[in-house]
Amino acid sequence: MPDARLGLVQNAPATAPQGAASNGIRHRDGWDGSAGSAPESADAPERLALLSGLAGVATWELTTPGPGLVWHSRFESLVRNPPAGARYRVPPGPEGRPVALEDLGDVLLAPIVETVRAGVVWDNYELIQEMEEPGGVVHRILVRATLLPEAKGFFGIMADVSDPGSVPWVTADVGERLELLVEHSPDGIIVHQEGIIVYANPAALHFAGLNVLTEALGKPMTLFISPTDIGPIVARLNQLNEPGDAVKGAEVTMVHPDGVKFVVEIVSVRTTWGGKPAYQVILRDVSERKRAEEEAQARAAIERRYAAAVAALEEGVIVIARDGAVTASNESAVRILGSRLDGGRGDAIFTGGGPAQKNDTSPFPPADLPLAVALSRHEGTTDVVIGVRDENGKEQWLSVSSRPIDDAEDSAAGAVVCSVSDITERKLLLDRLAWEARNDPLTSLANRSGFLAAVEGALKVSDSERDGLVMFFFDLDRFKLVNDSLGHAVGDEVLRAVAQRLRTAMPRAVSLSRLHGDEFAALEVGVPDTDAALHRAEELRSILSRPVQLSTGRTLTVTPSIGLVRLADVGREASEVLQDADMAMLQAKTRGRGRVAIFDAGLREEVGSRLELEHDLRAAVENGELRLEYQPLASLANGRVLGLEALVRWEHPRRGLLLPGRFVGLAEESELIIALGQWVLEAGCAQMARWRAMYPEANDSFLAVNVSPRQFDGSQLLPAVRGALEKSGLPPGALMLEITESGIVSDDVRLHGLLNELREFGIRLAIDDFGTGYSSLSYLKRLPVSYLKIDRSFVMGLGTDTEDERIVAAITDLGHGLGLRVIAEGVENRQQRHVARQLGCDLYQGYLLAEPRRPRDIPPFWRPRHQPTGSAADRN
Ligand code: C2E
Ligand code: CA
Ligand code: CA
C-alpha cells in the first residue's frame, strides 16, 4: 500500500526551516499573509473568523521557526452550549487527560506542534484526534494543516468530523476509509525510514505499550523489535529492492512493558513514504495461534504416547460402536479374541456367538453380557467373568470390563470401550484351589471342610428326614504300617481303592470324604433305625475288608474300624456330629480292630477317660505301676512246661488293675509303646534269669514276650533285645518274641530283615493270633519264624465246631509243612486240649493249664504235676 494515507497525510516533505529563533506564539497580527491563499486586507483576520464560523471550523496558524500558535477562531467556538467548567478527555477513556474547554484546541493540536518542534516539517498534515465530552460522547476532530509559502509556518483548520455530514467539505473519501481501516487494524502497522519510525497505528503503539503516536514518532524501530531480532530482519530487508517487495513473515518475541511476552509475526514491505524509501512493517500478534498450535502439538504427542501405551497393554482394548461393530482394537485384543474381533458384533466379539458361562459355570443370560448392559442400560461393568469357547473350541475364560463413552460430538464413533483379559489359566488355578479347599486331591472325595459343609446343609432338613441320616466314620487299621513298610505310593493306592469302594458301596451318600490320613467319613440317608445302621456298618466293614489288588499285582488287606452315629440321636452342629462319629470309631478300635461301634451318650465320657488314661500311662512306667504276669505253655505230648508268656498288667492308682486290652492299644497309638515294650523285655528277662538261677528245671524254659508291630518301626528293637539279654545274662535262646499276624504286612522288606537279624542272634520267633490276619502263606514260608500260635477263636470251637477243627487241622499241617511248631492258645477245657493234641498241635496254653499268674505263683510249674495223657513221644 505505497499510497495509503496513514493518519498523517503528507506529500513531499519540506525542508525544515533552519536558524529561526522565535519561541513565542505569534498572534494574528504577526502573520504577514504573503501566501496567495491567505487573506491580505487588514480585516482579513475578522473575515477569516467569520469564514471559519460559516465553515464550522476553527482556524489557526503556526509560525516557524520557534512555533508560535495563533488561533483565528478558537476551537471552543465549535462547541455549542458548553456546560460551565466542563472537562473533556483527550484521548477518550479513563486514561485521558481532563482538559478545560479553553485549552482543548491547544491540546488537540499538540502532536503537530510537537512534530514541528522536533524539526519534522511536511507540506501537509492531517490528523484525526479524539476527545470525550463530559457525557461520554466521543468526538473525532480533524486537524489539517498546510505549509505556508517559504515555509514560514503552517495554516490549519480544525473541525469536528464525528458526523461527516455536518461538515460538507469533509467527505469520507477512499483515503479516509483506508485510513480508518489502518487505524482500526488489529495488526500493528509501522512505517520507518532507515529504522526511524515515521508512522505507527494504534495497534502497533499498543504492542509497544504506548498510548499516543507522538511517543513513537522519530524513535528507532527498537521500540518495537528487540535489538537481537533486528539483525536478521535487516538482512532480510536488504533483499527487498523494489517497492512492493515483501519478506515472508518472521516471528519475534516481544515483551510488553508489563512483562507479558507475546509472539509477533513480522512482515516487511518495501514502500515509499513522502517520496523517500521506507519500509512498512506489519506486526501480527500470533501468540494465540502459537499457543493453539503448541497445544495441538502437545495433544498430538499425548495421543501418540497414549496410543503406544494402549498398543503395548497386556489387556485387550476394544472400542465398539453403538451398532456393535468394532471400531478400534489393540494387539492384545487380537491375540485374545482372534477372528471373533473381525467377524463378531456386540457380545459375539467375546463369545463367538456361542453359549457363555458365568464364573460358577451356570449359563450366562445374553442380556447380562457386558456389551448388552453397556449399550442398553448405558452402564459400565467391571471384571465380568465369561466362560467361552475360543476359535479352536477350547475353553477360555475372559474378564471383561466395559464403559460407555459419552461423546457428544460423535456418538456413533465410540459407544463403548471394553478391556478384556484372558484369565483362563488363572481361573482354572483358582477353581482348582477352590476345589482343593473342599476336596481331597488324592481320592477326589470331599475333605474335612467340604464334608462338614455338606453335613451342615443336610442338617437343615426337617426332623423326620434327619431321622434317616447316619454318619459313618472309618479308620483303617494299622494303615501306618502299610505306609511305613510298603511306601507311600502303595499307601496312596490303598487309600484310592478304599475311596472307590466307598463310592460304589454308598451311592446314596450325601457326602463322602477322606477327612485326614486313613480316616474316611460318609453321610448316608434313608437308614430307618439303629439296627439298620449297624447292619449297614457291618456290610461296609466287610466290603472294605476285601483284599485290595495293587498295581504290582499283589493283594493287600486293610480292615476298617467303623464308628457311626444316627443324626436322630444327636442334633447339633456338623462338627459335633463328626466328633461323635469319631468317638464311636475309637470305641470300635478299643474293642479290637475291624469292629463297628455306634455312638451313645456314655461314649463321650469314655473317650474323655481314655484321654486321661493315655495321660496317666506316660507316668506309669516311671512310677513302677506296671508289672508282669506269666502264663505257662506246656507240651501237649507230656505236659511239661516249656515256656512262660509275659503279660503286662497296670496297677492304676485310681482305677485298679488294668488288663492290656485297656491300655496297650493306647500305647500303640503313641510312642509310649516303645518304652512300655522295653520295660516288659527287661523286666521279663530279669525275672526269667532269676528263675533259671534258682530252679535248674527252668533252664529249658523260654520266656515269650509280646512285641507290638510299632516296635518294629524304628531301629530300637534289636538294641533293646540285646540290652535286656545282656543286663539279665539270659542267653538269646531263652527269649521268644511274639508278633501278631495282623501286624505283619506281606513283602515288608524291613521287617523281614529285622526278623532275620533277631533269628541269627538266636532269638525264637512266633506268629501270634494266627488265622486273624491275611498274610500270604507263601510269604510266611520265607519268614524266619519257628512257632505258630493258633488264635483262641479257632481253638474255642475244638470238639464242638467242625469248621474250626478243620481250620486248626489245616494250620497245623501247614505249620508242620513249613517246619514250625504249632501252639494252641486259649485252651480252657480238656476236650479242646484233646482235640488239639489229636490234630497234631505241639504245645498248648490256656486257663486249663493256668491263668496268667504273678511271679511268686510260677515256681510250682518247674516240678511237673501233669501226667502225659496222649502220645508218649515228646516232640519238644
Ligand atoms: P495274647 O498275646 O493273645 O495273650 C493271651 C491273652 O489271652 C491274655 O490276655 C491272656 O490272659 C488270655 N488268655 C490266656 N488263656 C486264656 C484262655 O484260656 N481263655 C481266655 N479267654 N483267655 C485266655 P491279656 O493278658 O489280657 O492280654 C491281651 C493281649 O494283650 C495279649 O494277647 C497281647 O496281644 C497283649 N499283650 C499282653 N501283654 C503285652 C505286652 O507286654 N506287650 C504287648 N505288646 N502286648 C501285650
Ligand atoms: Ca501273645
Ligand atoms: Ca494270642
Side-chain angles (χ1 to χ4, degrees), residues 628 631 645-649 659-661 664 668 673 676-677 680 705-708 711 738 740 768-769 789 791-792 825-828 845-848 850 852:
L628 290 175
Q631 189 181 34
E645 180 177 359
L647 295 162
V648 69
R649 303 291 180 255
L659 291 176
V664 167
E668 281 177 336
I673 191 65
L676 188 144
V680 171
V705 171
N706 293 286
V707 179
S708 155
Q711 289 176 263
E738 296 188 8
T740 52
D768 204 353
D769 304 338
K789 255 190 179 180
D791 191 66
R792 201 173 65 224
E825 70 171 351
V827 175
E828 295 183 348
Q845 184 183 6
Y847 293 167
L848 177 63

Short mmCIF file of all heavy atoms in Angstrom, two decimals, residues 628 631 645-649 659-661 664 668 673 676-677 680 705-708 711 738 740 768-769 789 791-792 825-828 845-848 850 852, ligand 1:
data_model
loop_
_atom_site.label_atom_id
_atom_site.label_comp_id
_atom_site.label_asym_id
_atom_site.label_seq_id
_atom_site.Cartn_x
_atom_site.Cartn_y
_atom_site.Cartn_z
N LEU A 628 4.35 -107.66 85.56
CA LEU A 628 4.13 -108.74 84.61
C LEU A 628 3.49 -109.94 85.31
O LEU A 628 3.80 -110.23 86.46
CB LEU A 628 5.45 -109.18 83.97
CG LEU A 628 6.09 -108.18 83.01
CD1 LEU A 628 7.47 -108.70 82.55
CD2 LEU A 628 5.19 -107.94 81.78
N GLN A 631 2.10 -116.70 82.00
CA GLN A 631 1.20 -117.82 81.72
C GLN A 631 2.03 -118.93 81.05
O GLN A 631 2.69 -118.67 80.05
CB GLN A 631 0.07 -117.38 80.80
CG GLN A 631 -1.01 -118.45 80.66
CD GLN A 631 -2.14 -118.03 79.73
OE1 GLN A 631 -1.92 -117.31 78.76
NE2 GLN A 631 -3.35 -118.49 80.04
N GLU A 645 4.66 -117.09 79.02
CA GLU A 645 4.41 -115.86 78.27
C GLU A 645 4.23 -114.73 79.26
O GLU A 645 3.44 -114.83 80.19
CB GLU A 645 3.16 -115.97 77.39
CG GLU A 645 2.89 -114.69 76.60
CD GLU A 645 1.69 -114.78 75.65
OE1 GLU A 645 1.07 -115.85 75.57
OE2 GLU A 645 1.40 -113.76 74.99
N ALA A 646 4.97 -113.66 79.04
CA ALA A 646 4.86 -112.48 79.91
C ALA A 646 3.68 -111.63 79.44
O ALA A 646 3.59 -111.30 78.25
CB ALA A 646 6.15 -111.67 79.87
N LEU A 647 2.78 -111.32 80.36
CA LEU A 647 1.61 -110.49 80.02
C LEU A 647 1.59 -109.28 80.96
O LEU A 647 1.64 -109.45 82.18
CB LEU A 647 0.33 -111.31 80.15
CG LEU A 647 0.23 -112.47 79.13
CD1 LEU A 647 -0.81 -113.49 79.57
CD2 LEU A 647 -0.11 -111.93 77.74
N VAL A 648 1.54 -108.12 80.36
CA VAL A 648 1.70 -106.90 81.16
C VAL A 648 0.42 -106.52 81.90
O VAL A 648 -0.68 -106.75 81.40
CB VAL A 648 2.22 -105.75 80.27
CG1 VAL A 648 1.15 -105.30 79.29
CG2 VAL A 648 2.71 -104.57 81.11
N ARG A 649 0.61 -106.00 83.10
CA ARG A 649 -0.52 -105.52 83.91
C ARG A 649 -0.20 -104.12 84.40
O ARG A 649 0.95 -103.76 84.59
CB ARG A 649 -0.75 -106.43 85.12
CG ARG A 649 -0.99 -107.89 84.78
CD ARG A 649 -2.34 -108.06 84.11
NE ARG A 649 -2.64 -109.43 83.74
CZ ARG A 649 -2.60 -109.90 82.50
NH1 ARG A 649 -2.21 -109.13 81.50
NH2 ARG A 649 -2.95 -111.14 82.24
N LEU A 659 -6.06 -104.53 82.46
CA LEU A 659 -5.51 -105.54 81.56
C LEU A 659 -5.00 -104.87 80.28
O LEU A 659 -5.43 -103.76 79.96
CB LEU A 659 -6.59 -106.58 81.24
CG LEU A 659 -6.96 -107.47 82.43
CD1 LEU A 659 -8.11 -108.41 82.07
CD2 LEU A 659 -5.77 -108.29 82.93
N PRO A 660 -4.12 -105.53 79.55
CA PRO A 660 -3.51 -104.89 78.37
C PRO A 660 -4.53 -104.37 77.36
O PRO A 660 -4.26 -103.38 76.67
CB PRO A 660 -2.64 -105.98 77.75
CG PRO A 660 -2.71 -107.15 78.64
CD PRO A 660 -3.56 -106.85 79.82
N GLY A 661 -5.68 -105.04 77.26
CA GLY A 661 -6.69 -104.59 76.30
C GLY A 661 -7.09 -103.14 76.55
O GLY A 661 -7.53 -102.43 75.63
N VAL A 664 -2.80 -101.21 76.00
CA VAL A 664 -1.75 -101.47 75.01
C VAL A 664 -2.08 -100.76 73.69
O VAL A 664 -1.20 -100.15 73.06
CB VAL A 664 -1.53 -102.98 74.82
CG1 VAL A 664 -0.67 -103.24 73.57
CG2 VAL A 664 -0.84 -103.57 76.04
N GLU A 668 0.08 -98.05 71.73
CA GLU A 668 0.49 -98.22 70.33
C GLU A 668 0.19 -96.98 69.49
O GLU A 668 0.83 -96.74 68.49
CB GLU A 668 -0.23 -99.44 69.71
CG GLU A 668 0.41 -100.75 70.12
CD GLU A 668 -0.33 -101.95 69.56
OE1 GLU A 668 -1.54 -101.82 69.26
OE2 GLU A 668 0.29 -103.00 69.43
N ILE A 673 4.48 -97.00 73.43
CA ILE A 673 4.64 -98.45 73.28
C ILE A 673 6.13 -98.84 73.29
O ILE A 673 6.49 -99.94 73.73
CB ILE A 673 3.96 -98.96 71.98
CG1 ILE A 673 3.89 -100.50 71.95
CG2 ILE A 673 4.68 -98.43 70.75
CD1 ILE A 673 3.03 -101.10 73.02
N LEU A 676 7.18 -98.89 76.92
CA LEU A 676 6.48 -99.99 77.57
C LEU A 676 7.10 -101.33 77.15
O LEU A 676 7.38 -102.21 77.98
CB LEU A 676 5.00 -99.94 77.19
CG LEU A 676 4.05 -100.91 77.90
CD1 LEU A 676 2.71 -100.25 78.15
CD2 LEU A 676 3.83 -102.18 77.09
N GLY A 677 7.34 -101.48 75.85
CA GLY A 677 7.90 -102.72 75.32
C GLY A 677 9.27 -103.02 75.91
O GLY A 677 9.60 -104.15 76.25
N VAL A 680 8.94 -104.22 79.44
CA VAL A 680 8.50 -105.61 79.52
C VAL A 680 9.68 -106.56 79.23
O VAL A 680 9.89 -107.54 79.94
CB VAL A 680 7.33 -105.88 78.54
CG1 VAL A 680 7.02 -107.38 78.46
CG2 VAL A 680 6.09 -105.12 78.97
N VAL A 705 7.68 -113.03 74.91
CA VAL A 705 7.32 -111.60 75.10
C VAL A 705 6.56 -111.10 73.87
O VAL A 705 6.97 -111.35 72.73
CB VAL A 705 8.59 -110.75 75.33
CG1 VAL A 705 8.26 -109.26 75.30
CG2 VAL A 705 9.25 -111.12 76.64
N ASN A 706 5.43 -110.45 74.12
CA ASN A 706 4.65 -109.89 73.02
C ASN A 706 5.29 -108.59 72.52
O ASN A 706 5.65 -107.73 73.32
CB ASN A 706 3.22 -109.60 73.48
CG ASN A 706 2.48 -110.89 73.79
OD1 ASN A 706 2.08 -111.63 72.91
ND2 ASN A 706 2.33 -111.18 75.09
N VAL A 707 5.44 -108.51 71.22
CA VAL A 707 6.04 -107.30 70.64
C VAL A 707 5.03 -106.65 69.70
O VAL A 707 4.48 -107.30 68.81
CB VAL A 707 7.33 -107.65 69.87
CG1 VAL A 707 7.93 -106.38 69.26
CG2 VAL A 707 8.33 -108.31 70.79
N SER A 708 4.78 -105.42 69.95
CA SER A 708 3.82 -104.69 69.12
C SER A 708 4.43 -104.37 67.75
O SER A 708 5.64 -104.08 67.66
CB SER A 708 3.42 -103.41 69.83
OG SER A 708 2.98 -102.47 68.89
N GLN A 711 6.81 -101.57 67.51
CA GLN A 711 8.18 -101.70 68.00
C GLN A 711 9.14 -102.09 66.87
O GLN A 711 10.34 -101.95 67.00
CB GLN A 711 8.25 -102.72 69.13
CG GLN A 711 7.62 -102.21 70.40
CD GLN A 711 7.61 -103.28 71.48
OE1 GLN A 711 6.61 -103.96 71.67
NE2 GLN A 711 8.71 -103.42 72.20
N GLU A 738 6.79 -112.69 70.26
CA GLU A 738 5.52 -112.98 69.58
C GLU A 738 5.05 -111.75 68.80
O GLU A 738 4.96 -110.66 69.35
CB GLU A 738 4.44 -113.37 70.61
CG GLU A 738 4.75 -114.65 71.36
CD GLU A 738 3.57 -115.10 72.22
OE1 GLU A 738 2.47 -114.49 72.11
OE2 GLU A 738 3.75 -116.06 73.00
N THR A 740 1.91 -110.44 66.37
CA THR A 740 0.58 -110.82 65.88
C THR A 740 0.56 -110.82 64.35
O THR A 740 1.21 -110.00 63.70
CB THR A 740 -0.53 -109.87 66.38
OG1 THR A 740 -0.14 -108.55 66.08
CG2 THR A 740 -0.77 -110.03 67.86
N ASP A 768 1.75 -114.75 66.43
CA ASP A 768 0.65 -114.81 67.40
C ASP A 768 -0.70 -114.66 66.70
O ASP A 768 -0.76 -114.12 65.58
CB ASP A 768 0.84 -113.66 68.40
CG ASP A 768 0.18 -113.91 69.74
OD1 ASP A 768 -0.56 -114.91 69.86
OD2 ASP A 768 0.38 -113.08 70.66
N ASP A 769 -1.74 -115.10 67.34
CA ASP A 769 -3.12 -114.91 66.84
C ASP A 769 -3.24 -115.34 65.38
O ASP A 769 -3.94 -114.70 64.59
CB ASP A 769 -3.55 -113.44 66.96
CG ASP A 769 -3.44 -112.92 68.38
OD1 ASP A 769 -3.45 -113.76 69.31
OD2 ASP A 769 -3.35 -111.69 68.55
N LYS A 789 1.13 -119.57 66.65
CA LYS A 789 0.13 -119.66 67.72
C LYS A 789 -1.24 -119.52 67.08
O LYS A 789 -1.57 -118.46 66.57
CB LYS A 789 0.35 -118.52 68.72
CG LYS A 789 0.98 -118.95 70.01
CD LYS A 789 0.90 -117.78 71.00
CE LYS A 789 1.49 -118.18 72.32
NZ LYS A 789 1.42 -117.06 73.28
N ASP A 791 -4.96 -118.79 66.80
CA ASP A 791 -5.76 -117.85 67.57
C ASP A 791 -6.83 -118.56 68.39
O ASP A 791 -7.42 -119.54 67.96
CB ASP A 791 -6.42 -116.83 66.63
CG ASP A 791 -7.04 -115.69 67.40
OD1 ASP A 791 -6.27 -114.93 68.03
OD2 ASP A 791 -8.29 -115.57 67.39
N ARG A 792 -7.07 -117.99 69.56
CA ARG A 792 -8.01 -118.56 70.51
C ARG A 792 -9.39 -118.80 69.89
O ARG A 792 -10.10 -119.73 70.25
CB ARG A 792 -8.14 -117.61 71.69
CG ARG A 792 -8.66 -118.27 72.95
CD ARG A 792 -8.57 -117.30 74.11
NE ARG A 792 -9.44 -116.15 73.93
CZ ARG A 792 -9.07 -114.90 74.18
NH1 ARG A 792 -7.84 -114.64 74.56
NH2 ARG A 792 -9.93 -113.92 74.02
N GLU A 825 -3.62 -121.78 71.59
CA GLU A 825 -3.76 -120.90 72.76
C GLU A 825 -5.22 -120.79 73.16
O GLU A 825 -6.13 -121.04 72.35
CB GLU A 825 -3.15 -119.53 72.50
CG GLU A 825 -3.91 -118.67 71.50
CD GLU A 825 -3.37 -117.23 71.45
OE1 GLU A 825 -2.54 -116.87 72.28
OE2 GLU A 825 -3.82 -116.50 70.55
N GLY A 826 -5.42 -120.48 74.41
CA GLY A 826 -6.79 -120.32 74.91
C GLY A 826 -7.50 -121.65 75.15
O GLY A 826 -8.72 -121.74 75.01
N VAL A 827 -6.71 -122.67 75.49
CA VAL A 827 -7.33 -123.97 75.79
C VAL A 827 -7.93 -123.90 77.19
O VAL A 827 -7.21 -123.71 78.17
CB VAL A 827 -6.29 -125.11 75.68
CG1 VAL A 827 -6.92 -126.46 76.11
CG2 VAL A 827 -5.74 -125.20 74.27
N GLU A 828 -9.27 -124.05 77.22
CA GLU A 828 -9.95 -123.86 78.51
C GLU A 828 -10.45 -125.18 79.10
O GLU A 828 -10.78 -125.23 80.29
CB GLU A 828 -11.10 -122.87 78.35
CG GLU A 828 -10.63 -121.48 77.98
CD GLU A 828 -11.77 -120.45 77.88
OE1 GLU A 828 -12.93 -120.88 77.87
OE2 GLU A 828 -11.46 -119.25 77.79
N GLN A 845 -1.67 -123.68 75.63
CA GLN A 845 -1.63 -122.58 76.61
C GLN A 845 -3.06 -122.23 76.90
O GLN A 845 -3.91 -122.30 76.00
CB GLN A 845 -0.91 -121.38 75.97
CG GLN A 845 -0.69 -120.19 76.88
CD GLN A 845 -0.04 -119.02 76.12
OE1 GLN A 845 0.12 -119.11 74.90
NE2 GLN A 845 0.32 -117.97 76.82
N GLY A 846 -3.38 -121.92 78.11
CA GLY A 846 -4.76 -121.55 78.40
C GLY A 846 -5.12 -121.79 79.84
O GLY A 846 -4.33 -122.29 80.64
N TYR A 847 -6.34 -121.36 80.15
CA TYR A 847 -6.80 -121.43 81.54
C TYR A 847 -6.79 -122.86 82.07
O TYR A 847 -6.69 -123.08 83.27
CB TYR A 847 -8.20 -120.83 81.66
CG TYR A 847 -8.26 -119.33 81.40
CD1 TYR A 847 -9.49 -118.69 81.21
CD2 TYR A 847 -7.10 -118.57 81.37
CE1 TYR A 847 -9.56 -117.33 80.99
CE2 TYR A 847 -7.18 -117.20 81.14
CZ TYR A 847 -8.40 -116.58 80.94
OH TYR A 847 -8.47 -115.26 80.72
N LEU A 848 -6.93 -123.84 81.15
CA LEU A 848 -6.92 -125.23 81.61
C LEU A 848 -5.60 -125.54 82.31
O LEU A 848 -5.57 -126.18 83.36
CB LEU A 848 -7.10 -126.17 80.41
CG LEU A 848 -7.04 -127.68 80.73
CD1 LEU A 848 -8.19 -128.10 81.67
CD2 LEU A 848 -7.10 -128.51 79.45
N ALA A 850 -3.18 -122.99 83.14
CA ALA A 850 -3.03 -121.95 84.16
C ALA A 850 -3.45 -120.60 83.60
O ALA A 850 -3.23 -120.32 82.42
CB ALA A 850 -1.59 -121.88 84.64
N PRO A 852 -2.85 -116.51 83.67
CA PRO A 852 -1.63 -115.72 83.91
C PRO A 852 -1.47 -115.51 85.42
O PRO A 852 -2.45 -115.21 86.11
CB PRO A 852 -1.90 -114.41 83.19
CG PRO A 852 -2.91 -114.77 82.14
CD PRO A 852 -3.76 -115.84 82.75
P1 C2E B 1 -2.22 -112.59 73.62
O1 C2E B 1 -0.81 -112.45 73.25
O2 C2E B 1 -3.04 -113.42 72.71
O3 C2E B 1 -2.25 -113.09 75.06
C1 C2E B 1 -3.11 -114.03 75.52
C2 C2E B 1 -4.28 -113.40 76.13
O4 C2E B 1 -5.30 -114.37 76.26
C3 C2E B 1 -4.02 -112.87 77.54
O5 C2E B 1 -4.87 -111.77 77.81
C4 C2E B 1 -4.49 -113.99 78.40
O6 C2E B 1 -4.89 -113.63 79.70
C5 C2E B 1 -5.66 -114.53 77.65
N1 C2E B 1 -5.87 -115.94 77.86
C6 C2E B 1 -4.97 -116.90 78.11
N2 C2E B 1 -5.55 -118.11 78.19
C7 C2E B 1 -6.85 -117.93 78.00
C8 C2E B 1 -7.96 -118.79 77.98
O7 C2E B 1 -7.90 -120.00 78.14
N3 C2E B 1 -9.17 -118.25 77.72
C9 C2E B 1 -9.30 -116.87 77.54
N4 C2E B 1 -10.49 -116.40 77.30
N5 C2E B 1 -8.23 -116.01 77.53
C10 C2E B 1 -7.03 -116.57 77.78
P2 C2E B 1 -4.26 -110.45 78.29
O8 C2E B 1 -3.24 -110.68 79.29
O9 C2E B 1 -5.42 -109.57 78.61
O10 C2E B 1 -3.54 -109.92 77.05
C11 C2E B 1 -4.25 -109.50 75.95
C12 C2E B 1 -3.34 -109.18 74.85
O11 C2E B 1 -2.55 -108.09 75.23
C13 C2E B 1 -2.34 -110.22 74.52
O12 C2E B 1 -2.90 -111.17 73.74
C14 C2E B 1 -1.28 -109.48 73.87
O13 C2E B 1 -1.57 -109.38 72.49
C15 C2E B 1 -1.36 -108.14 74.51
N6 C2E B 1 -0.26 -108.04 75.50
C16 C2E B 1 -0.19 -108.52 76.72
N7 C2E B 1 0.99 -108.18 77.26
C17 C2E B 1 1.68 -107.47 76.34
C18 C2E B 1 2.97 -106.88 76.32
O14 C2E B 1 3.77 -106.93 77.26
N8 C2E B 1 3.33 -106.24 75.18
C19 C2E B 1 2.49 -106.16 74.12
N9 C2E B 1 2.89 -105.54 73.04
N10 C2E B 1 1.27 -106.73 74.11
C20 C2E B 1 0.89 -107.36 75.23
#
